[in-house]
Amino acid sequence: MQTAVSPRLIVALDTPTLSQALHLVEQLLPLGVIFKVGYEAYYAFGPALLNEIEACGAELFLDLKLHDIPRTAAAAMRAIMRPGLGIVTVHAMGGFEMMRAVVEAAEIVAQERSLRVPAIFGVTILTSIAEITLPELGFMGGIGENVVRLAALARNAGCAGVVCSAHESADLKAFFGHDFQALCPGIRPAGAAGGDQQRIATPTSAIGAGADYLVVGRPITQASDPFAAAQAILTEMRSLVPG
Ligand code: C5P
């Protein structure tokens, strides 16, 4: 399975303290990974961490999963724009109008402030959700068809791709082509604990399914040697991608 670009490793900086997050940034910076800041770090010490990541010249992914009425979501997008910002997430369940408003806000602010336009990714069905729980959330059908339906909305709204598990990545590429990107959390090296994740995949199977970005948190951040853990995943990824 081809990918649009060489797959990239994203490390989720889900830590309770700023010093732990900064230590991980310092350790992992030489590996050229993208740093993902989500709810845990953003709400607790966001600005300080973002400033440091930017000062290092690393690429920043704000996993804030925006989900509100279009005006509010677009206002949030305008507020979070900053120089190092490469990726932002919105919940595809927020609907076409909301995603479109966020994409437009990013484009307008980028032009006004001469910033890069961040890639907006629509979150489809969280990787912590198993198919068996879909009915209680009001979804009809299986995970695969719901991911593709939400991905179609995201694509029409101008998103660069979607967040999904590697299990849906191959179908997504078959439906929408290689340029529509798959950003896949729930990645677990063989033998690693799944934790609260349900739809997990190894780096090898995710790359095989065409994933463009692999998101890894705990298997790296809670490893006794985070650098070695990240390096092992990168080595596994690179062994599968020609060139
Ligand atoms: O520790 P772990 O590898 O499970 O971390 C996965 C990261 O990806 C977490 O920060 C989580 O919030 C995020 N994420 C996810 N599933 C999604 C979207 C984001 O696990 N669908």
Side-chain angles (χ1 to χ4, degrees):
M1 176 78 57
Q2 254 183 309
T3 54
V5 287
S6 282
R8 298 279 309 272
L9 176 62
I10 296 172
V11 178
L13 296 174
D14 298 326
T15 65
T17 68
L18 175 62
S19 61
Q20 282 171 278
L22 291 178
H23 188 51
L24 284 165
V25 170
E26 193 187 347
Q27 285 176 293
L28 302 175
L29 192 63
L31 294 173
V33 300
I34 298 170
F35 292 110
K36 181 174 95 66
V37 177
Y39 288 0
E40 184 175 3
Y42 190 79
Y43 288 131
F45 41 80
L49 177 58
L50 304 187
N51 290 341
E52 285 299 325
I53 293 174
E54 256 172 13
C56 297
E59 192 172 344
L60 174 64
F61 168 8
L62 274 180
D63 186 17
L64 297 181
K65 301 187 180 70
L66 303 178
H67 191 175
D68 209 315
I69 60 172
R71 197 208 74 87
T72 304
M77 183 66 238
R78 283 196 291 277
I80 62 175
M81 282 289 284
R82 48 190 301 143
L85 187 57
I87 302 176
V88 176
T89 47
V90 296
H91 263 295
M93 284 292 290
F96 171 86
E97 295 296 344
M98 187 205 75
M99 287 189 278
R100 186 72 215 139
V102 168
V103 168
E104 280 175 2
E107 287 169 355
I108 291 167
V109 177
Q111 194 168 21
E112 285 170 357
R113 291 170 47 196
S114 301
L115 299 172
R116 67 188 282 196
V117 184
I120 313 293
F121 280 76
V123 178
T124 56
I125 307 287
L126 293 169
T127 43
S128 55
I129 290 178
E131 186 146 300
I132 197 166
T133 52
L134 282 188
E136 76 189 34
L137 298 173
F139 286 96
M140 295 198 309
I143 297 263
E145 59 202 281
N146 279 291
V147 167
V148 168
R149 179 176 51 80
L150 291 166
L153 270 188
R155 186 166 175 264
N156 292 340
C159 291
V162 287
V163 183
C164 60
S165 87
H167 298 266
E168 297 93 43
S169 179
D171 274 355
L172 205 75
K173 296 285 175 173
F175 272 98
F176 301 112
H178 293 297
D179 289 342
F180 191 63
Q181 299 190 314
L183 190 155
C184 300
I187 303 298
R188 291 291 180 269
D196 57 352
Q197 298 283 16
Q198 296 291 330
R199 304 193 328 277
I200 61 175
T202 62
T204 297
S205 58
I207 299 288
D212 300 285
Y213 295 92
L214 273 54
V215 181
V216 184
R218 288 160 288 183
I220 293 174
T221 59
Q222 295 184 2
S224 54
D225 183 346
F227 180 88
Q231 199 173 38
I233 293 171
L234 283 168
T235 302
E236 182 175 339
M237 289 168 67
R238 287 176 186 145
S239 71
L240 301 157
V241 180

